[in-house]
Amino acid sequence: MAAKMLLLALLAMASSLAMASDPSPLQDFCVADKDSKVLVNGFVCKDPKVVKAEDFFFRGLDKAGDTVNKVGSNVTAVNVNQLVGLNTLGISMVRIDYAPRGLNAPHTHPRATEILTVIEGQLLVGFVTSNTDDGNRLFTKMLKKGDVFVFPQGLIHFQFNPGHTKTIAIGALSSQNPGTITIANAVFGSKPPISDDVLAKAFQVDKKTIDWLQAQF
């Protein structure tokens, strides 16, 4: 009997960890007070008496983002920083515009799983598993209009428009503030820069190559 109880307890703990995300709200809403100087995990709540409908409202996802840049994509985010009513609700969203041959470069969201659907055009998407004895496994899929793909929390993923027309996608994320770490920017564009000795050994190339890559960022 004791062994069964222990097994049930372990299963309960595992399932609670598997469902872990942003903290659950303890009231109807907690609109972020971004003017507060108090530092908490998230944002301090506004006084509910001064909350307005505008605190739960965002306008602009119908407008295309500017894709004239080095990678040919643009992310319009709607997280707690743009929509204060999302505070404590554990959800956010993005619109992503891709020029022909545009790329949303390999990146991770440290605090969120992402589910993405193509609204217009097509996308080659993929994610890479974490380090294992079998190496880092790549999962890829070509998506067309109406297709849906999910990127597990924290894993490196990307989207690429292989076509000759623009693509639009909408993504939902399981955090009010999922965070983004773009791999190339973080590795080669950190301030101050990571030592070229470290990067040359990590990528098994010479320092001149590392110096050239760092200069791009």
Side-chain angles (χ1 to χ4, degrees), residues 4-187:
K4 288 183 179 179
M5 292 299 292
L6 178 59
L7 178 60
L8 287 172
L10 289 172
L11 287 172
M13 288 176 64
S15 100
S16 68
L17 288 172
M19 293 186 293
S21 186
D22 286 359
S24 297
L26 299 176
Q27 59 278 315
D28 288 345
F29 53 79
C30 171
V31 172
D33 182 357
K34 296 181 71 177
D35 295 325
S36 174
K37 303 301 182 184
V38 178
L39 299 179
V40 297
N41 184 24
F43 291 96
V44 173
C45 303
K46 278 187 181 180
D47 183 341
K49 294 178 182 177
V50 301
V51 169
K52 300 178 180 179
E54 285 73 18
D55 293 322
F56 303 95
F57 175 77
F58 177 90
R59 174 179 280 132
L61 278 193
D62 60 318
K63 295 178 174 61
D66 183 5
T67 58
V68 181
N69 52 56
K70 289 184 178 180
V71 293
S73 71
N74 186 287
V75 178
T76 303
V78 186
N79 57 47
V80 71
N81 296 297
Q82 292 80 32
L83 181 54
V84 290
L86 287 174
N87 194 39
T88 75
L89 298 185
I91 194 169
S92 58
M93 67 185 299
V94 293
R95 169 181 170 147
I96 314 175
D97 291 276
Y98 311 81
R101 311 292 293 174
L103 171 71
N104 190 10
H107 62 282
T108 73
H109 301 295
R111 296 181 290 275
T113 292
E114 178 179 3
I115 187 168
L116 179 132
T117 184
V118 176
I119 302 300
E120 180 180 329
Q122 59 182 330
L123 283 177
L124 174 66
V125 303
F127 68 86
V128 181
T129 62
S130 54
N131 299 358
T132 67
D133 293 338
D134 298 324
N136 303 95
R137 187 176 176 190
L138 171 65
F139 292 84
T140 61
K141 189 74 175 175
M142 183 66 74
L143 305 184
K144 296 182 179 179
K145 181 178 179 179
D147 290 345
V148 176
F149 198 81
V150 66
F151 306 103
Q153 180 172 340
L155 297 187
I156 295 173
H157 59 282
F158 63 88
Q159 302 108 34
F160 174 66
N161 176 11
H164 300 289
T165 59
K166 68 179 182 179
T167 291
I168 303 169
I170 296 289
L173 300 107
S174 61
S175 171
Q176 68 181 41
N177 190 20
T180 300
I181 302 171
T182 304
I183 307 306
N185 298 55
V187 172

